[in-house]
Amino acid sequence: MTSALLDMLRREGLARLTPAVPRVSVGMASCGLAAGSGETWHALQAALAARDTAVRLVPTGCLGWCQREPLVEVRLPGRPSLMFGRVTPKVADDLAAWLAGGEFPRAHLLGLCPPDGSPAARDTAPGSGCDHGAGKDEGRVRPGTPRFPEGEVPVLWDLPFYRGQLRWVTRNCGVINPTDLAEYVARGGYLALENALARGPEWVIEEVTRAGLRGRGGAGFPTGAKWRATRNAPGSEKYVIANADEGDPGAYMDRGLLEGDPFSVIEGITIGALAVGDCRQGYIYVRAEYPLAVERLEAAIAEATRTGLLGEDILGSGFAFTVHLVRGAGAFVCGEETALLASIEGRPGEPRPRPPFPAEKGLWGRPTVINNVETWANVPLILRAGAGPYAAVGSAGSKGTKVFSLVGDIANTGLVEVPMGTTLRQVVEVNGGGVSRGTRIKAVQTGGPSGGFLPASRLDLPVDYEGLTEAGTIMGSGGLVVMGERTCMVDVARYFLSFTQAESCGKCVPCREGTRHMLGILERICAGEGRPEDVTRLEEWAWAVKDGSLCGLGQTAPNPVLTLLRYFGEELEQHVRDRFCPAGVCRELFAFRIVAEACPGCGACLRACPREAISGQPRQPHAIDGNRCTRCGICRDTCPFAAIVVEPRVKTDPGEVSRRA
């Protein structure tokens, strides 16, 4: 039975989500702010005030399509929402003019978000996608309402970026005000906690187990089994922790969730505390480099505490639970659960051997559940409607959805949420729109620095735990880096290995010394000093580090090297044997040449070269002076005719390398 508190919050939230005046939502997550949404917000405020236009202006999180930020959603009373992209202050003024009765700014319209047909149409909770739920005024157009656009308007969810997505975990991101508890409750928030309090801990664990939820932090351990082990562990005091120490370069799934829907994580961790029993305190360990996520988490925790959804006697059940926020200092190794525990306790963030596992002996020696942010956000989804609908989505061994951050040489960067088992090709070529620079896809990396490289020939691989592991990489937390043909896989392996080597805590010898030796070999190869035995030594060191390291950082650090050897061995051999980098990245291993037959003498490369290494007359083929050229690549990026090619370098001056160093 719905509590009076939640019923009141639900009514308040629906009134805010479907007000009697237009509701204008501005994406104010980190991606939006970086794209200028702060300026857009102030421009809207000023323009609306100048026209004395009655509008409800609210900040939201990220709707996923970061490439089109700043995103602005306009919901007219009784109408579907309209989404606008790349809303500059000038476009904001045009929007304000339209809302005051002027012309409709169609140029920046992305599409409309109808109540049905959204990627969350199979959502198990009330409300989906941009549908804010039905209010008492829904369906009735009031006098004076701005004119709805005439003619055919594309549906946002039919656009390639959203096609095939199933926005369950991210259903509120970009839709609600992240720190407005009433709006969260209006879209089904805290129904799951009500169910959990009414049916008890055993039912909670059973439902999470039947749903097949696995940890979204990378290891994929069954969540229900972890919770049951903690519940059965002896001890009168237990803890639950949300691991938000997201440190992979290019990964920002946790940040997006915390900035766009922090209450879902708070509700999930509260349910987890109830399930494990004897748990009155929980912790969210978040990177200090996420100031906006920290700010919104603090506000959400304070609001939940103020209304009685955290603290003593939650919803009149007698259950008491509080949440503490802990800021991490940015050490990548603290994403490993035992290092994270040490950091919360005030000790250096170093991993320890397991067993005992945290479920038996965790924070301050007490049984502890540690789950990733996305894992906790899945829990309310499952308990709102039961395990069945959740388990019906995904592959045989990987249920539900997964959020990925698309970055790299990709046309559409952003956060994508798809059912488990979706192919890499769907995510990269449809949602991501393929590579951004007109070349072909060369590789995709999953799992961040701990993951591996998959060639374009493996794009039809289903994205689930077992499939990626068999291919030599990992799911990780969900970072997905796309690389085009101009990417040197040897150099990328060197980069990610330099990251894990620098982030190694140094506690165990295999990780500390092994990553250093592998990095030294790759640096020598990229500098044109590779030796025939280097390939064999790389593989030997990689397996030694993988098999002998203490924690997950060291055990997965060799994955970029191992997948380089497995899928891009010929490119590595070219670096060693031929002293040639075919991608044109390792500067000591190639030279640029202008193909005379393809060069019309437009002068674009000549004007762009910072070293004045290119010469030629207008409308005549140009040439590159190899002694002056630093192989920065600006000329190749500038040339509109693809007339500049890469070829093996002939060093005319033996002392050039030493002088350049």
PDB file of all heavy atoms in Angstrom, residues 41 44 64 78 122 124 151 182 201 230 321 421 429 436 438 488 499 506 514 546 557 590 594 618 625 640:
ATOM      1  N   TRP A  41      21.330  28.409 -20.481  1.00  0.00           N
ATOM      2  CA  TRP A  41      20.400  28.568 -19.360  1.00  0.00           C
ATOM      3  C   TRP A  41      20.172  30.048 -19.046  1.00  0.00           C
ATOM      4  O   TRP A  41      19.033  30.503 -18.923  1.00  0.00           O
ATOM      5  CB  TRP A  41      20.950  27.824 -18.150  1.00  0.00           C
ATOM      6  CG  TRP A  41      20.210  28.052 -16.869  1.00  0.00           C
ATOM      7  CD1 TRP A  41      20.397  29.066 -15.969  1.00  0.00           C
ATOM      8  CD2 TRP A  41      19.138  27.252 -16.341  1.00  0.00           C
ATOM      9  NE1 TRP A  41      19.524  28.940 -14.914  1.00  0.00           N
ATOM     10  CE2 TRP A  41      18.750  27.833 -15.115  1.00  0.00           C
ATOM     11  CE3 TRP A  41      18.499  26.097 -16.770  1.00  0.00           C
ATOM     12  CZ2 TRP A  41      17.737  27.303 -14.324  1.00  0.00           C
ATOM     13  CZ3 TRP A  41      17.484  25.564 -15.983  1.00  0.00           C
ATOM     14  CH2 TRP A  41      17.111  26.154 -14.784  1.00  0.00           C
ATOM     15  N   LEU A  44      18.219  31.791 -21.800  1.00  0.00           N
ATOM     16  CA  LEU A  44      16.791  31.479 -21.724  1.00  0.00           C
ATOM     17  C   LEU A  44      16.121  32.281 -20.611  1.00  0.00           C
ATOM     18  O   LEU A  44      15.033  32.837 -20.797  1.00  0.00           O
ATOM     19  CB  LEU A  44      16.591  29.982 -21.486  1.00  0.00           C
ATOM     20  CG  LEU A  44      16.607  29.066 -22.707  1.00  0.00           C
ATOM     21  CD1 LEU A  44      16.679  27.601 -22.286  1.00  0.00           C
ATOM     22  CD2 LEU A  44      15.369  29.308 -23.568  1.00  0.00           C
ATOM     23  N   GLY A  64      21.969  11.536 -23.061  1.00  0.00           N
ATOM     24  CA  GLY A  64      22.813  10.555 -23.726  1.00  0.00           C
ATOM     25  C   GLY A  64      23.535  11.056 -24.953  1.00  0.00           C
ATOM     26  O   GLY A  64      24.688  10.696 -25.187  1.00  0.00           O
ATOM     27  N   GLY A  78      -0.307  19.325 -22.814  1.00  0.00           N
ATOM     28  CA  GLY A  78      -1.147  18.515 -23.688  1.00  0.00           C
ATOM     29  C   GLY A  78      -0.479  18.045 -24.957  1.00  0.00           C
ATOM     30  O   GLY A  78      -1.148  17.507 -25.850  1.00  0.00           O
ATOM     31  N   ARG A 122       9.432  -0.681 -22.961  1.00  0.00           N
ATOM     32  CA  ARG A 122       9.329  -1.922 -22.207  1.00  0.00           C
ATOM     33  C   ARG A 122       9.744  -1.723 -20.760  1.00  0.00           C
ATOM     34  O   ARG A 122       9.992  -2.674 -20.033  1.00  0.00           O
ATOM     35  CB  ARG A 122      10.214  -2.987 -22.853  1.00  0.00           C
ATOM     36  CG  ARG A 122       9.728  -3.384 -24.247  1.00  0.00           C
ATOM     37  CD  ARG A 122      10.848  -4.005 -25.068  1.00  0.00           C
ATOM     38  NE  ARG A 122      11.247  -5.302 -24.532  1.00  0.00           N
ATOM     39  CZ  ARG A 122      12.291  -6.002 -24.985  1.00  0.00           C
ATOM     40  NH1 ARG A 122      13.021  -5.506 -25.949  1.00  0.00           N
ATOM     41  NH2 ARG A 122      12.609  -7.156 -24.460  1.00  0.00           N
ATOM     42  N   THR A 124       9.654  -1.287 -16.873  1.00  0.00           N
ATOM     43  CA  THR A 124       8.785  -1.953 -15.917  1.00  0.00           C
ATOM     44  C   THR A 124       8.202  -0.982 -14.911  1.00  0.00           C
ATOM     45  O   THR A 124       7.505  -1.391 -13.998  1.00  0.00           O
ATOM     46  CB  THR A 124       9.570  -3.038 -15.159  1.00  0.00           C
ATOM     47  OG1 THR A 124      10.676  -2.427 -14.487  1.00  0.00           O
ATOM     48  CG2 THR A 124      10.090  -4.084 -16.108  1.00  0.00           C
ATOM     49  N   GLY A 151       3.488  19.964 -40.008  1.00  0.00           N
ATOM     50  CA  GLY A 151       4.223  19.055 -40.875  1.00  0.00           C
ATOM     51  C   GLY A 151       4.820  17.894 -40.106  1.00  0.00           C
ATOM     52  O   GLY A 151       4.633  17.731 -38.904  1.00  0.00           O
ATOM     53  N   ALA A 182      10.586  14.792  -5.590  1.00  0.00           N
ATOM     54  CA  ALA A 182       9.200  14.611  -6.010  1.00  0.00           C
ATOM     55  C   ALA A 182       9.120  14.150  -7.464  1.00  0.00           C
ATOM     56  O   ALA A 182       8.302  13.284  -7.810  1.00  0.00           O
ATOM     57  CB  ALA A 182       8.419  15.912  -5.815  1.00  0.00           C
ATOM     58  N   PRO A 201      13.537  -9.011   3.376  1.00  0.00           N
ATOM     59  CA  PRO A 201      14.871  -9.212   2.782  1.00  0.00           C
ATOM     60  C   PRO A 201      14.998 -10.463   1.924  1.00  0.00           C
ATOM     61  O   PRO A 201      15.648 -10.424   0.876  1.00  0.00           O
ATOM     62  CB  PRO A 201      15.792  -9.284   4.007  1.00  0.00           C
ATOM     63  CG  PRO A 201      15.058  -8.561   5.080  1.00  0.00           C
ATOM     64  CD  PRO A 201      13.612  -8.816   4.834  1.00  0.00           C
ATOM     65  N   THR A 230      26.682 -12.073   2.137  1.00  0.00           N
ATOM     66  CA  THR A 230      26.819 -11.057   3.185  1.00  0.00           C
ATOM     67  C   THR A 230      25.738 -11.221   4.245  1.00  0.00           C
ATOM     68  O   THR A 230      26.004 -11.090   5.448  1.00  0.00           O
ATOM     69  CB  THR A 230      26.742  -9.652   2.569  1.00  0.00           C
ATOM     70  OG1 THR A 230      27.718  -9.535   1.526  1.00  0.00           O
ATOM     71  CG2 THR A 230      27.008  -8.576   3.612  1.00  0.00           C
ATOM     72  N   PHE A 321      18.531   3.705   8.203  1.00  0.00           N
ATOM     73  CA  PHE A 321      19.698   3.611   7.314  1.00  0.00           C
ATOM     74  C   PHE A 321      20.134   5.012   6.917  1.00  0.00           C
ATOM     75  O   PHE A 321      19.311   5.871   6.601  1.00  0.00           O
ATOM     76  CB  PHE A 321      19.352   2.797   6.067  1.00  0.00           C
ATOM     77  CG  PHE A 321      20.474   2.670   5.080  1.00  0.00           C
ATOM     78  CD1 PHE A 321      21.619   1.927   5.381  1.00  0.00           C
ATOM     79  CD2 PHE A 321      20.398   3.296   3.841  1.00  0.00           C
ATOM     80  CE1 PHE A 321      22.652   1.816   4.463  1.00  0.00           C
ATOM     81  CE2 PHE A 321      21.425   3.182   2.919  1.00  0.00           C
ATOM     82  CZ  PHE A 321      22.557   2.442   3.239  1.00  0.00           C
ATOM     83  N   GLY A 421      23.746  -8.483 -25.083  1.00  0.00           N
ATOM     84  CA  GLY A 421      23.680  -9.330 -26.267  1.00  0.00           C
ATOM     85  C   GLY A 421      23.592  -8.546 -27.560  1.00  0.00           C
ATOM     86  O   GLY A 421      23.698  -9.121 -28.649  1.00  0.00           O
ATOM     87  N   GLU A 429      28.127   1.309 -35.262  1.00  0.00           N
ATOM     88  CA  GLU A 429      27.759   1.809 -36.584  1.00  0.00           C
ATOM     89  C   GLU A 429      26.386   2.465 -36.624  1.00  0.00           C
ATOM     90  O   GLU A 429      26.170   3.394 -37.399  1.00  0.00           O
ATOM     91  CB  GLU A 429      27.835   0.675 -37.609  1.00  0.00           C
ATOM     92  CG  GLU A 429      29.246   0.152 -37.831  1.00  0.00           C
ATOM     93  CD  GLU A 429      29.332  -0.839 -38.974  1.00  0.00           C
ATOM     94  OE1 GLU A 429      28.262  -1.281 -39.464  1.00  0.00           O
ATOM     95  OE2 GLU A 429      30.456  -1.176 -39.387  1.00  0.00           O
ATOM     96  N   SER A 436      34.340   9.069 -37.365  1.00  0.00           N
ATOM     97  CA  SER A 436      34.029  10.482 -37.583  1.00  0.00           C
ATOM     98  C   SER A 436      34.854  11.134 -38.671  1.00  0.00           C
ATOM     99  O   SER A 436      34.518  12.221 -39.111  1.00  0.00           O
ATOM    100  CB  SER A 436      34.232  11.249 -36.270  1.00  0.00           C
ATOM    101  OG  SER A 436      35.571  11.110 -35.819  1.00  0.00           O
ATOM    102  N   GLY A 438      35.802   9.958 -41.802  1.00  0.00           N
ATOM    103  CA  GLY A 438      35.711   9.480 -43.170  1.00  0.00           C
ATOM    104  C   GLY A 438      36.525   8.252 -43.478  1.00  0.00           C
ATOM    105  O   GLY A 438      36.639   7.857 -44.636  1.00  0.00           O
ATOM    106  N   CYS A 488      47.319   3.847 -34.559  1.00  0.00           N
ATOM    107  CA  CYS A 488      48.385   2.849 -34.456  1.00  0.00           C
ATOM    108  C   CYS A 488      48.101   2.000 -33.230  1.00  0.00           C
ATOM    109  O   CYS A 488      48.120   2.493 -32.099  1.00  0.00           O
ATOM    110  CB  CYS A 488      49.751   3.527 -34.326  1.00  0.00           C
ATOM    111  SG  CYS A 488      51.091   2.368 -33.936  1.00  0.00           S
ATOM    112  N   PHE A 499      49.309   3.990 -18.654  1.00  0.00           N
ATOM    113  CA  PHE A 499      48.311   4.385 -17.666  1.00  0.00           C
ATOM    114  C   PHE A 499      48.278   3.390 -16.501  1.00  0.00           C
ATOM    115  O   PHE A 499      48.367   3.780 -15.334  1.00  0.00           O
ATOM    116  CB  PHE A 499      46.928   4.472 -18.322  1.00  0.00           C
ATOM    117  CG  PHE A 499      45.820   4.815 -17.365  1.00  0.00           C
ATOM    118  CD1 PHE A 499      45.507   6.134 -17.084  1.00  0.00           C
ATOM    119  CD2 PHE A 499      45.078   3.812 -16.751  1.00  0.00           C
ATOM    120  CE1 PHE A 499      44.489   6.455 -16.198  1.00  0.00           C
ATOM    121  CE2 PHE A 499      44.065   4.123 -15.861  1.00  0.00           C
ATOM    122  CZ  PHE A 499      43.765   5.445 -15.585  1.00  0.00           C
ATOM    123  N   GLY A 506      52.083  -0.735  -6.799  1.00  0.00           N
ATOM    124  CA  GLY A 506      53.449  -1.211  -6.606  1.00  0.00           C
ATOM    125  C   GLY A 506      53.604  -2.246  -5.510  1.00  0.00           C
ATOM    126  O   GLY A 506      54.729  -2.638  -5.175  1.00  0.00           O
ATOM    127  N   GLY A 514      56.478  -6.067 -13.969  1.00  0.00           N
ATOM    128  CA  GLY A 514      56.058  -6.575 -15.276  1.00  0.00           C
ATOM    129  C   GLY A 514      55.518  -5.492 -16.182  1.00  0.00           C
ATOM    130  O   GLY A 514      55.862  -5.433 -17.374  1.00  0.00           O
ATOM    131  N   LYS A 546      49.709 -11.287 -15.779  1.00  0.00           N
ATOM    132  CA  LYS A 546      48.301 -11.703 -15.668  1.00  0.00           C
ATOM    133  C   LYS A 546      48.128 -12.807 -14.630  1.00  0.00           C
ATOM    134  O   LYS A 546      47.186 -12.792 -13.831  1.00  0.00           O
ATOM    135  CB  LYS A 546      47.798 -12.176 -17.035  1.00  0.00           C
ATOM    136  CG  LYS A 546      46.293 -12.341 -17.136  1.00  0.00           C
ATOM    137  CD  LYS A 546      45.891 -12.673 -18.552  1.00  0.00           C
ATOM    138  CE  LYS A 546      44.380 -12.658 -18.714  1.00  0.00           C
ATOM    139  NZ  LYS A 546      43.800 -11.311 -18.598  1.00  0.00           N
ATOM    140  N   ALA A 557      45.850  -5.753 -16.655  1.00  0.00           N
ATOM    141  CA  ALA A 557      46.715  -4.771 -17.324  1.00  0.00           C
ATOM    142  C   ALA A 557      47.310  -5.283 -18.639  1.00  0.00           C
ATOM    143  O   ALA A 557      47.486  -4.500 -19.577  1.00  0.00           O
ATOM    144  CB  ALA A 557      47.828  -4.319 -16.376  1.00  0.00           C
ATOM    145  N   PHE A 590      58.011   6.539 -40.023  1.00  0.00           N
ATOM    146  CA  PHE A 590      57.314   6.811 -41.273  1.00  0.00           C
ATOM    147  C   PHE A 590      57.717   8.192 -41.779  1.00  0.00           C
ATOM    148  O   PHE A 590      58.335   8.986 -41.064  1.00  0.00           O
ATOM    149  CB  PHE A 590      55.794   6.749 -41.092  1.00  0.00           C
ATOM    150  CG  PHE A 590      55.225   7.924 -40.353  1.00  0.00           C
ATOM    151  CD1 PHE A 590      54.725   9.029 -41.036  1.00  0.00           C
ATOM    152  CD2 PHE A 590      55.187   7.940 -38.965  1.00  0.00           C
ATOM    153  CE1 PHE A 590      54.220  10.125 -40.347  1.00  0.00           C
ATOM    154  CE2 PHE A 590      54.679   9.022 -38.278  1.00  0.00           C
ATOM    155  CZ  PHE A 590      54.197  10.119 -38.973  1.00  0.00           C
ATOM    156  N   ILE A 594      53.737  13.559 -50.735  1.00  0.00           N
ATOM    157  CA  ILE A 594      52.599  14.043 -51.513  1.00  0.00           C
ATOM    158  C   ILE A 594      52.603  13.336 -52.860  1.00  0.00           C
ATOM    159  O   ILE A 594      53.596  13.376 -53.599  1.00  0.00           O
ATOM    160  CB  ILE A 594      52.664  15.568 -51.706  1.00  0.00           C
ATOM    161  CG1 ILE A 594      52.583  16.274 -50.351  1.00  0.00           C
ATOM    162  CG2 ILE A 594      51.539  16.050 -52.621  1.00  0.00           C
ATOM    163  CD1 ILE A 594      52.708  17.783 -50.428  1.00  0.00           C
ATOM    164  N   PRO A 618      51.001  27.523 -56.911  1.00  0.00           N
ATOM    165  CA  PRO A 618      49.563  27.307 -57.054  1.00  0.00           C
ATOM    166  C   PRO A 618      49.237  26.479 -58.293  1.00  0.00           C
ATOM    167  O   PRO A 618      49.838  26.658 -59.357  1.00  0.00           O
ATOM    168  CB  PRO A 618      49.002  28.734 -57.170  1.00  0.00           C
ATOM    169  CG  PRO A 618      50.016  29.589 -56.469  1.00  0.00           C
ATOM    170  CD  PRO A 618      51.343  28.950 -56.763  1.00  0.00           C
ATOM    171  N   ASP A 625      59.573  18.598 -47.633  1.00  0.00           N
ATOM    172  CA  ASP A 625      60.988  18.513 -47.293  1.00  0.00           C
ATOM    173  C   ASP A 625      61.119  17.611 -46.061  1.00  0.00           C
ATOM    174  O   ASP A 625      60.768  17.995 -44.947  1.00  0.00           O
ATOM    175  CB  ASP A 625      61.539  19.907 -46.997  1.00  0.00           C
ATOM    176  CG  ASP A 625      63.039  19.893 -46.686  1.00  0.00           C
ATOM    177  OD1 ASP A 625      63.589  18.805 -46.416  1.00  0.00           O
ATOM    178  OD2 ASP A 625      63.647  20.984 -46.685  1.00  0.00           O
ATOM    179  N   PRO A 640      42.294  18.069 -48.622  1.00  0.00           N
ATOM    180  CA  PRO A 640      40.944  17.616 -48.988  1.00  0.00           C
ATOM    181  C   PRO A 640      40.939  16.564 -50.089  1.00  0.00           C
ATOM    182  O   PRO A 640      39.869  16.060 -50.444  1.00  0.00           O
ATOM    183  CB  PRO A 640      40.269  18.913 -49.456  1.00  0.00           C
ATOM    184  CG  PRO A 640      41.383  19.744 -49.998  1.00  0.00           C
ATOM    185  CD  PRO A 640      42.596  19.410 -49.182  1.00  0.00           C
TER     186      PRO A 640
END
